[in-house]
Amino acid sequence: MGGLHKTKTRFSMVFSVLVLTTALFAACSKSTEANVLESDIENVPFKINERFIEVIPFEYRAVGSFSEGLAAVSPFGGDADSLKNKWGAINTTGKVIIPFEYDYIWSFSEGLATVELNGKRGFINTAGQLIVPLEYDRMGWFSEGLATVELNGKQGAINTAGQLIVPLEYDRIGWFSEGLATVELNGKQGVINTAGQLIVPIEYDSIGWWGFSESLATVRLNGKQGAINTAGQVIIPFEYDDIWSFSEGLATVELNGKRGVINTAGQLIVPLEYDRIGWFSEGLATVELNGKQGAINTAGQLIVSIEYDEVRHFYEGLATVELNGKWGAINTAGQLIVPLEYDRIGNFSEGLATVGLNRKYGVINSMGQMVVPLEYDEVRSSPEDSLYWVELNGKWGIVNAAGQMVVPLEYDQIYKFFEGLAAVELNGKQGVINTAGQLIVPIEYDSIRGFSEGLAAVELGGKWGFILDTESPMAIEGVPIVSSSADNEGNIEPSAQNFVNDSITHLIIILAEIVLFLILIIVRKKIARVLFEGQLKTKLFKIKVKLMIDGLINAGGKSGDLPEISDESFFALIERDKERIMP
């Protein structure tokens, strides 16, 4: 009787569990079928920690960086030969926006990207629509609303709507600058405007391809150079052997091996008496005569005497100078501020410069005072971040502008910061640190690229995916975000795509997971055969992934609050008896 009672009790328990499970799945399928259960498993993100998510899985052979909310990606061909080496584009949730049908896709700029197929190129917009048909051999970037295109060796220009504004009749078209671009035909050059009209006739031997600078462009005719304005008028006559571009209203000119300086009116400000003249920076330019260098001002006056072996350009009121193999720095008055005692010195930026002496390197301020001591094997600067990469005995760290160690000397390599984050490398693996030196993405990836729009491409095992910085102000709206304040558990906040949208549905999924797990423990394969037929296995696995994301069960050691329910224990029964459990 005891055995019969025990059997009845077990059957009653199992029956109750089955009824509850059926009800739970029915409710779950109605409310979440379009979100979690029927979504592609590849599009379910995976939480790394409280801040970062593997938002796009590792399934691509090559990827580009995100630009304007899209990134070009190329999947592995697999059995589908049609996908082999093809490119498409995904959004920040991993959804394929542009199908995998192009041979290559370049980054988006101003809402458009160049695409190539069978050797022909066109433009698509961010919706994947072909704005410019695939009919050109080459395409340039947009500049001032126009992009150069080439077909059968001839170039023209199109607007962002794909309309041909400049006909395909030129051998070459330069960049548009100040509304004008240089064009070349049959070895002669002229200038067109953004309407395609010829402003300067095609009669010059060359026109500076950098375009107009300060409304003037240098031109060459019959071996001599002059300059024209934007109306095509000759402002500076053709009498010099060479003319460099204008800067601060002045340009260096050369005649018979000697150089001087002219203004935009063509007047000679500095006589033709120097062997070399650099460009003006902060009102001063380097000059050279008989192997020695000094500096002049815009009036041609000699401010720094011609006595140094080298004088570099001025930055922040200082220029580094060399004499007899030693380096120092002078101010705009020519006074020596940093004594000539270093073997090497960099340009000043934000009041600091790197220095080297006896193969050791450090950092000084604009007064010549040592900020970072001369004790490192190498020092690299990052002026925009006010940080310095330092290397000692093969290990890299970072110090700040006050000389304080921000990142300890423990990495094999530290890369440049993007959006306040930098990749670090140790023993062939990479992670991510912030500007405070905190390791915020574990060192477990093969490669990590710089963050762009809150996402970074990462490589693992020869496959590429993306991780999301949920705290980035540039993260695109609609990407799942991990709460870092209201929810200390790091649960996924509600999102419009592929995630549970309300707390009741979330609870149902959790309960369904627990019930199904208990069924496996109680009755193992007998009931499991029924439960796991057809799509139910996939659905259960998706619930498993969802719970991993929310940190409710263990995620292979990456996160989770219930380590006793590991991947191994959860799938052990299924894997062991899969031939008899699964159809």
Side-chain angles (χ1 to χ4, degrees), residues 4-68:
L4 179 60
H5 176 74
K6 185 175 181 181
T7 300
K8 287 182 177 180
T9 302
R10 174 174 290 184
F11 178 82
S12 178
M13 181 179 180
V14 170
F15 181 80
S16 299
V17 169
L18 281 172
V19 171
L20 177 59
T21 302
T22 303
L24 288 173
F25 265 113
C28 185
S29 63
K30 288 181 180 180
S31 59
T32 67
E33 186 172 11
N35 294 309
V36 177
L37 298 183
E38 294 299 329
S39 65
D40 292 334
I41 189 65
E42 290 81 9
N43 289 335
V44 179
F46 195 92
K47 187 175 74 175
I48 300 171
N49 53 36
E50 306 306 315
R51 178 172 174 178
F52 293 89
I53 306 173
E54 287 177 1
V55 69
I56 297 171
F58 298 93
E59 60 185 20
Y60 297 107
R61 70 172 186 89
V63 297
S65 297
F66 271 90
S67 175
E68 301 186 9

Side-chain angles (χ1 to χ4, degrees), residues 335-346:
Q335 299 168 325
L336 197 63
I337 303 301
V338 179
L340 294 158
E341 60 185 20
Y342 296 105
D343 299 331
R344 193 179 88 175
I345 186 169

Side-chain angles (χ1 to χ4, degrees), residues 18 96 106 178 180 208 212 363 415 494 500:
L18 281 172
V96 177
W106 281 259
E178 298 185 16
L180 301 171
F212 284 83
V363 179
Y415 298 90
V500 179

Side-chain angles (χ1 to χ4, degrees), residues 227-268:
I228 58 174
N229 62 15
T230 54
Q233 299 169 324
V234 177
I235 303 301
I236 299 170
F238 297 93
E239 58 186 22
Y240 296 104
D241 296 331
D242 217 338
I243 300 179
W244 282 259
S245 61
F246 281 86
S247 173
E248 298 186 12
L250 300 172
T252 299
V253 293
E254 181 176 326
L255 183 62
N256 301 324
K258 292 296 183 180
R259 296 181 185 179
V261 176
I262 59 173
N263 61 17
T264 55
Q267 298 169 324
L268 199 61

Side-chain angles (χ1 to χ4, degrees), residues 16 45 74 137 150 156 224 246 369 390 481 483 521 529 576:
S16 299
S74 178
D137 300 328
E150 182 176 316
K224 292 293 184 179
F246 281 86
Q369 299 166 329
V390 293
I481 301 298
S483 174
I521 298 299
R529 180 186 179 92
R576 187 187 65 190

Side-chain angles (χ1 to χ4, degrees), residues 318-340:
L318 295 173
T320 56
V321 294
E322 181 202 7
L323 183 61
N324 300 325
K326 292 295 182 181
W327 288 86
I330 57 174
N331 61 16
T332 54
Q335 299 168 325
L336 197 63
I337 303 301
V338 179
L340 294 158

Side-chain angles (χ1 to χ4, degrees), residues 418-490:
F418 291 92
E419 298 182 7
L421 301 171
V424 294
E425 185 171 320
L426 184 61
N427 300 324
K429 293 292 184 180
Q430 294 186 6
V432 175
I433 60 171
N434 59 19
T435 52
Q438 299 168 321
L439 186 67
I440 52 180
V441 173
I443 301 175
E444 58 186 31
Y445 298 100
D446 298 332
S447 182
I448 300 178
R449 293 180 186 169
F451 279 82
S452 175
E453 299 186 1
L455 295 110
V458 291
E459 182 189 9
L460 188 61
K463 297 182 177 182
W464 287 88
F466 287 87
I467 60 175
L468 168 72
D469 175 13
T470 63
E471 295 183 7
S472 170
M474 299 182 69
I476 305 299
E477 185 178 357
V479 176
I481 301 298
V482 175
S483 174
S484 60
S485 55
D487 187 353
N488 291 327
E489 299 297 326

